[in-house]
Each structure stands twice: as C-alpha cells, then as structure tokens.
Amino acid sequence: MKKITLSEASKLLLNNDKFHILTHRYPDGDTLGCAFALCYALRGMGKKANVIISGNLPSKFTYLAKNYSEQDFSYEYVVSVDIAAPSLLGELQEEYENKIDLCLDHHGSNSMKAKNIFVDASCAAACEIIYVLIKEMRAKFTRDITNAIYTGISTDTGCFCYTNTTAQTHRIAADIISLGCDFTEINRINFETKTRAKIKMERMVYDTMEFYCGGKCAIIYTTLAMQKALCAGDDEMEGLASIPRQVEGVKIGITMREKEDGTFKVSVRTNDGINASDFCARFGGGGHVAASGCSIKGDLKTVKYMLIRAAEEVL
Amino acid sequence: MKKITLSEASKLLLNNDKFHILTHRYPDGDTLGCAFALCYALRGMGKKANVIISGNLPSKFTYLAKNYSEQDFSYEYVVSVDIAAPSLLGELQEEYENKIDLCLDHHGSNSMKAKNIFVDASCAAACEIIYVLIKEMRAKFTRDITNAIYTGISTDTGCFCYTNTTAQTHRIAADIISLGCDFTEINRINFETKTRAKIKMERMVYDTMEFYCGGKCAIIYTTLAMQKALCAGDDEMEGLASIPRQVEGVKIGITMREKEDGTFKVSVRTNDGINASDFCARFGGGGHVAASGCSIKGDLKTVKYMLIRAAEEVL
C-alpha cells in the first residue's frame, strides 16, 4: 500500500497494459463515468482495457457504452475507481479484492487494499480526478470521454447543486463543454426525465413521509411490496434519497429501502453541517459529510425506530 | 439608440453618477441579481445608485438586499437590466420608458428604447454580462456582488441544467465561487427547499395528470379550490410547469392554473424542438421555443379540451 501522486498514477498507467477497471456495486454515474472515461483514454493510447461493472449497467447509462465493446485479453493491471471499501466491490470482491494495483477515489474514508492509492477528498466527484489524470497522461479527449466525465461530475453534484460542488467542479465542466460534450442530452436523461413508474413511486414514497424531532428529521421508505406493485426497477428507486432533506426545516433526511436479503439500505442526507457519515457509522456505514449510507438488518418498524432514536440523539 | 460594446458600457458607467437601475416586472433571480450586483459595484466605487424594482422583491430573494438600503438623491442616469421590451417595465414604464440611458440584456428579441444598448444573446443569464462588465470597470467583487451574480446565472439555467448553459456560464460560476460566494446557501434556497404545502401541492397536481396523443402530451392543472385547500401562495405554485414535460415520452407538457379573473394561466413546455411559442400564439400568447405561456378564458373542461385539440394538431 503506497500513497502516490496523480502524476505517479499517470506514469503507472502509461507503463502498464491490459487493464481491468472496476466499478462499485449498484454502479452510479460517477463510478461508471470514471471507468468508461479511463477505459476510452487508455484504448486511445493503444492499450487494452475493459470496464468491469459490479452488477448491471443501469439502462439510463447505456449511452456511456455506445462505442464500447469488450476486448479479449487476460488482465495484467487492475484499477478501482470511486470505490471506498472492499465490500463495495460486491460480486467482484472475491476475484479482485487482493489484486488491485491502483485505487483512484474521492472518499476520505477510503479503506481499499491496493498497491497504489490516490485519494482526493476535495473532489466532488471521482471523475474530477480522472479528468486531471487523463490530461496528465496527455491522452486525447474524445466525445465519449467528455461525456463520461460530465456524467460523473453532474450526477455526483446533483447538476452542480449539492454542497460538494467547488470552483474546480465548474472549471472542469467548462473545459469539457468547450471540448465538445453532449451535456444537454446528458442533463435531460439524468435530471429532466422521469418514467411514469418513477412518478408513481415518488407519490407512494411521499405518502410514507413522517416527521420527528420537531420537524428536523424526515423519514421515508420503500418496501419490496411497493416496488413490486409498481414494477419499479433500480431506475425508479434512484434519487428518492434527496426527497426528505428538501423539506423546509429538515436537517436529517432518511430514506429506507427494503432489500431482498432482509436488510434495509439506508440513505442519510443532512443540512447545516450535521455529519451524515458519523450518523451512518453508528450502523457500520459511512460516506460523505452531507450524504452517507448504511445497511441495517431487521423489519421496517424496528429499523425505523433505530434510525429515529439515532436522529434524536444527534439533534 | 446606439449599439455599444461592453467596454463602452463600462466607460459610460464610470463617467456618470446617481444611477437608477431598473428590473423587469415579476422580478426573477436574473434581473434582481443584475440590479443588485451592479448597484453594489457602483456604490463600491463611490457612486450613488439605487435598485428600482418593478413590483415587489419576492421573499426568497430578500438575501440579495441584506446590505442594501435606499440612498437619497435625484437620479441622473438610468440603466435597465434583463428587460427585453418596454411593456415588461410594468409599473415603471410611465416614469422611465423614454429615459433609459443604458440597456443591458441577453434577450435576442430586445426591443427597448434606450440611448445605448448592449445585448448578448449568447449569455444564458444577463448576470453573465454584468460579471464581465464589473470586471471591465475594475470594481471590487464583494460577497454581495458574487451572491447576486450567482443568483442570476443559477436561476436562469435551472442550476446549470437547462440547454442555455454554456462553458462561459460554468467559467463565471467557478470564478465567483473562488472569489467567495455563498452558493451552497443560495442553491439551498432556490433549488433544495420545498415547503410542506408545496409538497402537498405537487402530490395533488400529480393526481390531475392525464396523457393524450399516445403519451406525447401530458396535462396537469390547479384550481382555486385546490390552492385554497392547501393555503398555497405563489411560492407553492412555482415550478409546477416543469412537471408534465419531465415524464418520459412527453413532447408537450401543459400546466393550467385557474386564476381569480375566470381565466386559466397556461404554461407550455416542449421537448424535441416542438415550438411552444407557436403553440401559445394560437391562444394569443408566446415566449421561448421550449417554454411559453398564454391565458385562456373558460371553465376547466372547455379550456382543457381546447389545449388537447391544439396538441393533437401539432403532434
């Protein structure tokens, strides 16, 4: 395990070949944006590289793979992007956990085992790191690369709205828009389009909203039964976590999502500097200051009670 | 009437004093952001300047006037910001229409009568023009100024999401964030906060949603009775117009809002290049290609039928 600079990471990539680039499970726009941008950049330099997705590519992100097809080779160098902890490798953990040569991430809590690690927690999105890295490598920025990077930085910042956005985030957006990127189409897909099932799911979720701690804590949930009733897939479930925090006066917004394995996936979003990562650490989770997550085993009532108790203690 | 450069506009401002800076009626974040930013900049250079608002300052924008109090002087130089046509001066039209010395705007259709005019339709927000102008004037960028400029560019672009956003928009955002601007608080006020009444109104509106033309037209409405039941004011009604167009497959999204005078205020939002302005022109209205409006007299059923018929003809 060696902490390296971005310039050293660039050299490692330039001096190696036959890459497997890993995403985290439940892949989002940032991990996928990183993986595809880096893959296209390496291929553009004549190297072999594949994106190895943990789980499935969500249908809304298929545009990232428009000009991608898997290459046939045995991998020699493994890169993880936007993956904060070994468990987040999901189905890839067994095969790759101890074989990661280079870990690139923006989570301050990063606990990956990797030969070389570069973490910059000041970046709103891991795609900001990949942008600087590709510049450092002097690879050519194709439209596919700019689209992938824009996807990561726009989705991880809620289209430049969340508190993690920085001057650098906007500067990179300006650069990749100048380089030619289909940002209007990407915005439309990620921020301006809802399926009818998603609208129905949002309405159902609003009906579950309850307030605690004098209105400072709002909590919503989805159950497997609700999801089944609406034939809702992962696309419909996305973005629900931002709903409770949006309510005026709410400082801790909690979203509980029932999973097949008897656990609830919990997303916590906070306002006014309340530490969501500390909140989730109580339940073995973590993440960012204003946006974190954890998994809790139990039935709806019990898990909800545990979360409300924790909110009461924090507030 | 003389078309001038931004450098000439800067000189005019530097060579004059005792300014009245006018906003358009129903003032939004951009016209207010322009007016306060320019006013603070001129005052910072030792000049006298007041912001003259057409109508009232909406409560959500009171933060713009935090360090503002009206100065006592007789005006000698009148500047209009973000005002596309004389009628949009509203209550200020009578007093100022023929006294405007400098018109600064980003509407290509600008039809103002003014001694000097600078229009740049490539700018997503008029605040982009004001930012460059203040740099040109070499005024000091205080926090109040950066907050005002950020307000204009973020609200006019839906937080950098709408198709009018450009690389320049992001570059200016990066600059003013670096200069120190409370963008997270401004985003929270304008994009991340919903009152409970607003959430209830959205749910009620979703219940009215109907689809026509094979799902390509979606229509929603609010009635006076609904508004009254929720004690919903203008803040709660804002943003509803974007709801129907967001649904997957919808090309024409129509929002009808019952008004006290027996008419419905109709907002039309379109996708895929369908001309919303042409659509609204059928009913005596107009606006932008993707976002327009009109007013129609009649009861709910009749007005809805008229709109659906028009949508069928267009699609």
Side-chain angles (χ1 to χ4, degrees):
Chain A
M1 285 242 301
K2 190 185 159 197
K3 283 188 184 172
I4 59 169
T5 66
L6 211 49
S7 164
E8 288 169 327
S10 158
K11 282 186 194 113
L12 285 173
L13 293 169
L14 291 173
N15 292 335
N16 282 283
D17 199 354
K18 297 179 179 163
F19 298 92
H20 270 189
I21 308 167
L22 317 181
T23 77
H24 62 67
R25 64 178 181 175
Y26 309 126
D28 63 7
D30 194 28
T31 195
L32 291 166
C34 287
F36 280 101
L38 187 56
C39 183
Y40 288 127
L42 291 166
R43 287 183 178 185
M45 302 190 97
K47 295 175 183 293
K48 287 196 184 302
N50 280 333
V51 172
I52 312 296
I53 297 173
S54 179
N56 296 315
L57 179 64
S59 60
K60 67 191 288 194
F61 291 126
T62 48
Y63 66 86
L64 292 171
K66 209 170 52 187
N67 295 309
Y68 175 88
S69 57
E70 208 170 273
Q71 293 181 334
D72 190 24
F73 60 87
S74 301
Y75 68 88
E76 291 177 358
Y77 202 87
V78 179
V79 185
S80 72
V81 285
D82 192 39
I83 309 180
S87 65
L88 300 175
L89 282 162
E91 64 185 39
L92 306 178
Q93 190 170 4
E94 205 184 322
E95 162 92 14
Y96 293 100
E97 180 172 3
N98 298 307
K99 292 184 192 162
I100 296 169
D101 296 289
L102 175 60
C103 161
L104 301 167
D105 190 27
H106 72 129
H107 295 90
S109 62
N110 188 290
S111 62
M112 293 291 279
K113 301 172 230 164
K115 275 195 202 123
N116 302 283
I117 292 193
F118 178 83
V119 175
D120 183 350
S122 76
C123 290
C127 268
E128 293 185 19
I129 297 167
I130 301 298
Y131 170 77
V132 180
L133 183 64
I134 292 175
K135 268 181 86 165
E136 186 83 31
M137 287 164 63
R138 295 176 184 274
K140 191 174 171 279
F141 279 94
T142 62
R143 182 158 295 216
D144 284 321
I145 294 175
T146 57
N147 285 349
I149 289 169
Y150 186 84
T151 298
I153 66 174
S154 61
T155 56
D156 253 26
T157 58
C159 210
F160 309 95
C161 192
Y162 301 158
T163 55
N164 59 351
T165 308
T166 67
Q168 171 170 287
T169 316
H170 281 289
R171 220 155 260 143
I172 293 174
D175 286 354
I176 57 178
I177 288 172
S178 294
L179 285 164
C181 117
D182 305 309
F183 70 100
T184 59
E185 184 58 19
I186 296 171
N187 285 349
R188 185 165 154 197
I189 292 168
N190 290 312
F191 306 110
E192 297 271 302
T193 306
K194 291 180 181 178
T195 62
R196 291 201 206 182
K198 168 139 202 180
I199 288 172
K200 282 183 190 147
M201 180 52 89
E202 283 187 2
R203 284 166 64 184
M204 213 180 241
V205 155
Y206 272 124
D207 287 332
T208 72
M209 195 182 286
E210 289 176 1
F211 295 94
Y212 297 93
C213 310
K216 287 182 189 157
C217 172
I219 191 160
I220 60 174
Y221 63 80
T222 64
T223 61
L224 291 172
M226 285 162 66
Q227 221 178 317
K228 208 174 152 192
L230 296 178
C231 302
D234 284 342
D235 284 2
E236 280 69 39
M237 307 309 283
E238 208 187 287
L240 297 178
S242 67
I243 289 175
R245 184 182 52 183
Q246 282 185 351
V247 184
E248 200 174 31
V250 168
K251 296 190 189 306
I252 302 181
I254 301 173
T255 306
M256 299 168 54
R257 178 174 164 195
E258 190 182 10
K259 306 293 288 181
E260 303 277 356
D261 62 1
T263 66
F264 277 86
K265 184 174 177 254
V266 178
S267 300
V268 177
R269 302 286 182 272
T270 53
N271 278 327
D272 293 335
I274 288 173
N275 196 311
S277 186
D278 287 353
F279 185 99
C280 290
R282 292 164 174 249
F283 305 103
H288 302 283
V289 173
S292 288
C294 58
S295 283
I296 308 179
K297 215 174 176 67
D299 63 282
L300 178 64
K301 223 173 162 175
T302 313
V303 174
K304 196 161 84 172
Y305 180 73
M306 287 163 74
L307 289 163
I308 295 162
R309 277 291 301 272
E312 281 168 352
E313 280 175 40
V314 168
L315 287 165
Chain B
M1 282 238 306
K2 191 185 159 197
K3 284 189 184 174
I4 59 170
T5 64
L6 211 48
S7 165
E8 289 168 328
S10 158
K11 281 187 197 114
L12 284 173
L13 293 170
L14 291 174
N15 292 336
N16 281 284
D17 200 354
K18 298 182 180 162
F19 297 92
H20 270 189
I21 307 167
L22 317 181
T23 77
H24 62 67
R25 64 178 180 174
Y26 308 126
D28 62 7
D30 195 27
T31 194
L32 290 166
C34 286
F36 280 101
L38 188 55
C39 183
Y40 288 128
L42 291 167
R43 288 184 178 185
M45 301 188 98
K47 294 174 185 292
K48 289 199 184 299
N50 280 334
V51 172
I52 312 296
I53 298 173
S54 178
N56 296 314
L57 179 65
S59 61
K60 66 193 287 195
F61 291 126
T62 47
Y63 66 86
L64 292 172
K66 208 170 51 184
N67 296 309
Y68 175 87
S69 56
E70 209 171 272
Q71 293 180 333
D72 190 23
F73 61 87
S74 301
Y75 69 87
E76 291 177 359
Y77 202 87
V78 179
V79 185
S80 72
V81 286
D82 192 40
I83 309 179
S87 65
L88 299 175
L89 282 163
E91 64 185 38
L92 306 178
Q93 191 169 3
E94 204 183 321
E95 160 95 14
Y96 293 100
E97 180 171 5
N98 298 308
K99 293 185 193 161
I100 296 169
D101 296 288
L102 175 60
C103 161
L104 301 166
D105 189 27
H106 72 128
H107 295 91
S109 62
N110 187 291
S111 63
M112 292 292 279
K113 302 172 230 165
K115 278 198 199 117
N116 302 282
I117 292 194
F118 178 84
V119 175
D120 183 350
S122 77
C123 289
C127 269
E128 293 185 17
I129 296 167
I130 301 298
Y131 170 77
V132 181
L133 183 62
I134 292 176
K135 267 180 86 167
E136 187 81 32
M137 288 165 63
R138 296 177 185 273
K140 191 173 171 277
F141 278 93
T142 61
R143 180 158 297 214
D144 284 320
I145 295 176
T146 57
N147 285 349
I149 290 170
Y150 186 83
T151 298
I153 65 175
S154 62
T155 56
D156 253 27
T157 58
C159 210
F160 310 94
C161 191
Y162 300 159
T163 56
N164 60 351
T165 309
T166 67
Q168 171 170 286
T169 316
H170 281 289
R171 220 155 261 144
I172 293 174
D175 286 354
I176 57 178
I177 288 172
S178 295
L179 287 165
C181 117
D182 305 310
F183 71 99
T184 60
E185 185 56 19
I186 296 170
N187 285 348
R188 190 169 148 191
I189 291 168
N190 291 310
F191 307 110
E192 294 272 300
T193 306
K194 291 180 181 177
T195 60
R196 291 199 203 183
K198 169 139 203 181
I199 288 173
K200 281 184 193 146
M201 178 53 87
E202 283 187 4
R203 284 166 65 182
M204 214 180 242
V205 154
Y206 273 124
D207 286 333
T208 72
M209 195 181 288
E210 288 176 1
F211 295 93
Y212 297 93
C213 310
K216 286 181 190 158
C217 173
I219 192 160
I220 60 174
Y221 63 81
T222 64
T223 61
L224 290 172
M226 285 162 67
Q227 221 179 317
K228 207 173 152 193
L230 297 178
C231 304
D234 283 344
D235 283 2
E236 280 68 39
M237 307 309 282
E238 206 187 288
L240 296 178
S242 67
I243 290 175
R245 182 181 54 182
Q246 282 186 349
V247 183
E248 198 173 34
V250 168
K251 297 191 190 303
I252 302 180
I254 301 173
T255 306
M256 299 168 54
R257 178 177 164 190
E258 190 183 8
K259 306 291 286 181
E260 303 276 357
D261 63 0
T263 65
F264 277 86
K265 183 172 179 262
V266 178
S267 300
V268 177
R269 302 285 183 272
T270 54
N271 278 327
D272 293 336
I274 287 174
N275 196 310
S277 187
D278 287 353
F279 184 98
C280 290
R282 293 164 172 248
F283 305 103
H288 301 284
V289 173
S292 288
C294 57
S295 283
I296 307 179
K297 215 174 174 68
D299 63 282
L300 177 65
K301 225 173 163 176
T302 314
V303 175
K304 195 160 85 173
Y305 180 73
M306 287 164 73
L307 289 163
I308 295 162
R309 277 291 301 274
E312 282 168 351
E313 280 175 39
V314 170
L315 287 165

